[in-house]
Amino acid sequence: MNIGNLTRILSIIVAAAAYICVSTADADTLLIENVTLIDGTGRPPVAGAWVLVDNDRIRLISRDSINPPTKTRRIDGTGKYLIPGLMDLHIHLQGGVKVTPEGLVAADAGKSRGIRALHSYLYAGVTSIYDAGNVPDYILSLREDERSGKLMSPRIFAAGGIVTYPGSHGSSSFSTLVDSWPEAIPALDAHIKRGPDILKLTFEERGWGARPMIPKLSVDLMQRIIQYYNDRGIRTTVHTSSEYRARQAIFAGIDTLTHPVIQGPVTDDFARLMGAKKIPMVTTLTIGENYSRLAEHPEYLDEPLYRATLTAAEIKTLKTDKRKEYQERKWTWWMKIMTTIAQDNVRKIHEAGGILVAGTDQTTGPALHRELELLADAGIPPSDIIRIATLNGAIFLGKERDLGSIEEGKIADLVLLAADPTTDINNAKQIVQVIKGGQIVDRSKLDLPVNE
Ligand SMILES: [Zn+2]
């Protein structure tokens, strides 16, 4: 018997089993029929795939039609493309904080603003986010609402407050500030008690671009903190901006990096190191590029995703006052130049076998699609970008057993597209359906300008 026949017979057997097991009164099944499957692993697309979702998990994937339980909801995938839910793994949710060139500052806009931003992610096909530093009460209470099912939102993973040295990057009244060991332990315990999904450190003395120097953690203190969290089962990530500091963090035991190297070109050795160590690196190209983009190309705000998620008043302010502010900032023009260098750096690391992870350092769904465009512009093939925005993100989170790809047994976070994103990454914007945990997200009910 050849493998094809064996797979066929097995899938018929499993389909029959699925039928028997889920045909109860509370069956909650969803079948996506005859779709082109782009599973997030980087494998080539599979045409004519059938995907059966049972409650929140993917139960069965078959190249033959599936006979589902009677009450199954069906989605006709003919001519469409199914990808895993996208992930933005570096955000700072608005309403709690604002990202400025000087760092994070508290914003008191409140939860309704944050909820609208969360809805903009779902609208844009983003089903998981990692908040890399915020006012802890703000982000952790939204996380609780998401996890209890009270809040329609992408999955929220959060650092809570940033841990850093007093006066360093990310230092604020809502950060955990540490300057010596073991004196730091009670403050770290207080942070750990709140349940950070991933510890966020900063290791940044500035003195580059248009910013004066500031203090930072010592390597020794950073290493002790990383070990303390890892010993409690918590993964770690760090803000660095140079190859030198990234190397120090890696050899101090850091699990992931929240930014690419932006201060200058990386060495070939560093690219090879990233390929060897497989330290996930979040790409955050759009945070540096968004200033010059607004200054030079404000017309991007007329694209459908921005029109749908920003109010006319917000777009007007961006095109006038904000644009003028960005045009006059030195930072804008520095970052425009450095973005091309960061793009070369991420491409080199990708080609050396490193694990890139899509993230924006921003706070709306459309920004993630800009990140994907900038990765394509860097010369990374679209089929690889899909993995960077899905399975690699799950690896960053340490959740790759449950999330990030369309494989049997995994959580059903899915996006149905009208066009093929592996031929043009812009097709990832052609969203037909968003499914989170096996439930279809009603995009017409999201709290967004497009629905007003
Ligand atoms: Zn950040």
Side-chain angles (χ1 to χ4, degrees):
M1 184 188 299
N2 69 32
I3 298 287
N5 280 342
L6 180 63
T7 313
R8 199 183 155 93
I9 290 166
L10 281 177
S11 63
I12 292 166
I13 294 166
V14 180
Y19 183 88
I20 293 160
C21 294
V22 297
S23 61
T24 55
D26 59 351
D28 189 1
T29 47
L30 176 70
L31 179 64
I32 301 143
E33 304 175 342
N34 191 33
V35 75
T36 298
L37 177 65
I38 298 160
D39 69 8
T41 64
R43 285 193 283 259
V46 175
W50 295 59
V51 178
L52 181 67
V53 175
D54 176 8
N55 288 290
D56 66 338
R57 299 265 170 180
I58 297 159
R59 177 64 157 276
L60 177 64
I61 300 169
S62 171
R63 291 184 86 154
D64 298 306
S65 59
I66 294 173
N67 185 17
T70 39
K71 284 183 183 163
T72 300
R73 293 186 71 173
R74 290 165 174 256
I75 296 176
D76 182 4
T78 307
K80 301 193 172 69
Y81 299 81
L82 191 67
I83 62 170
L86 300 169
M87 301 190 184
D88 186 341
L89 295 178
H90 188 152
I91 81 149
H92 300 277
L93 189 69
Q94 58 184 298
V97 286
K98 252 182 10 196
V99 180
T100 75
E102 288 69 47
L104 289 180
V105 296
D108 51 10
K111 271 195 183 182
S112 62
R113 213 181 153 126
I115 290 167
R116 221 180 72 189
L118 291 168
H119 285 195
S120 80
Y121 286 107
L122 283 177
Y123 187 83
V126 177
T127 55
S128 291
I129 54 158
Y130 169 61
D131 187 298
N134 211 311
V135 176
D137 287 340
Y138 178 75
I139 194 69
L140 297 175
S141 76
L142 286 167
R143 184 183 72 173
E144 196 179 311
D145 289 349
E146 185 271 314
R147 289 187 182 171
S148 69
K150 262 204 296 200
L151 175 64
M152 169 96 88
S153 160
R155 297 178 197 284
I156 299 175
F157 301 97
I162 286 170
V163 176
T164 193
Y165 193 83
S168 193
H169 188 79
S171 169
S172 69
S173 58
F174 47 88
S175 309
T176 298
L177 302 179
V178 293
D179 60 4
S180 55
W181 196 270
E183 291 78 6
I185 290 174
L188 299 180
D189 283 340
H191 176 243
I192 289 169
K193 224 175 169 178
R194 308 209 61 183
D197 295 292
I198 300 177
L199 163 70
K200 164 75 178 294
L201 295 167
T202 71
F203 188 54
E204 166 72 73
E205 74 273 50
R206 295 188 184 159
W208 57 282
R211 308 201 274 196
M213 291 191 78
I214 51 172
K216 61 156 188 51
L217 288 171
S218 66
V219 174
D220 179 62
L221 188 52
M222 175 169 61
Q223 187 166 1
R224 286 175 189 277
I225 299 167
I226 292 167
Q227 187 178 338
Y228 198 76
Y229 280 71
N230 280 172
D231 279 347
R232 283 149 190 80
I234 302 166
R235 283 169 69 75
T236 62
T237 196
V238 66
H239 164 114
T240 52
S241 57
S242 68
E243 174 175 329
Y244 179 54
R245 296 303 180 201
R247 274 179 176 273
Q248 287 183 310
I250 289 167
F251 289 104
I254 203 75
D255 300 296
T256 64
L257 301 171
T258 59
H259 291 291
V261 169
I262 182 104
Q263 289 193 36
V266 294
T267 62
D268 292 344
D269 279 356
F270 186 73
R272 285 190 287 260
L273 168 74
M274 292 297 285
K277 287 269 191 205
K278 308 288 183 202
I279 302 275
M281 173 188 262
V282 185
T283 54
T284 65
L285 297 166
T286 180
I287 186 65
E289 192 261 357
N290 87 95
Y291 310 105
S292 61
R293 187 187 194 202
L294 182 64
E296 295 181 318
H297 300 289
E299 68 280 3
Y300 80 82
L301 291 162
D302 299 322
E303 292 174 17
L305 273 179
Y306 295 91
R307 284 273 163 207
T309 55
L310 294 168
T311 64
E314 284 168 331
I315 289 176
K316 189 163 173 243
T317 307
L318 282 166
K319 284 186 172 179
T320 54
D321 298 355
K322 232 350 163 219
R323 185 178 176 211
K324 192 159 181 292
E325 185 191 323
Y326 287 178
Q327 280 171 330
E328 287 165 3
R329 239 188 229 169
K330 283 183 200 159
W331 188 249
T332 299
W333 306 110
W334 173 273
M335 291 308 282
K336 182 188 173 180
I337 294 165
M338 300 318 282
T339 296
T340 61
I341 291 169
Q343 284 177 302
D344 286 345
N345 289 345
V346 298
R347 191 195 58 253
K348 269 175 100 168
I349 289 165
H350 178 69
E351 286 171 352
I355 300 180
L356 299 183
V357 175
T360 61
D361 209 356
Q362 295 197 283
T363 180
T364 65
L368 193 267
H369 288 274
R370 181 58 178 166
E371 190 69 24
L372 306 188
E373 287 173 22
L374 292 170
L375 288 168
D377 190 45
I380 297 173
S383 53
D384 292 355
I385 297 173
I386 297 296
R387 182 181 158 127
I388 288 168
T390 58
L391 185 57
N392 286 6
I395 293 169
F396 171 92
L397 292 167
K399 302 273 181 210
E400 69 275 17
R401 275 187 298 186
D402 285 321
L403 296 173
S405 61
I406 305 175
E407 295 177 283
E408 289 174 5
K410 282 201 169 179
I411 290 173
D413 288 354
L414 309 166
V415 181
L416 188 67
L417 301 172
D420 185 356
T422 64
T423 55
D424 179 353
I425 201 61
N426 284 297
N427 290 339
K429 297 169 191 160
Q430 300 220 27
I431 296 162
V432 181
Q433 294 271 19
V434 178
I435 294 157
K436 181 195 161 198
Q439 300 298 310
I440 296 172
V441 173
D442 186 349
R443 291 166 84 225
S444 72
K445 295 244 167 66
L446 296 171
D447 177 20
L448 292 172
V450 70
N451 293 328
E452 272 161 18

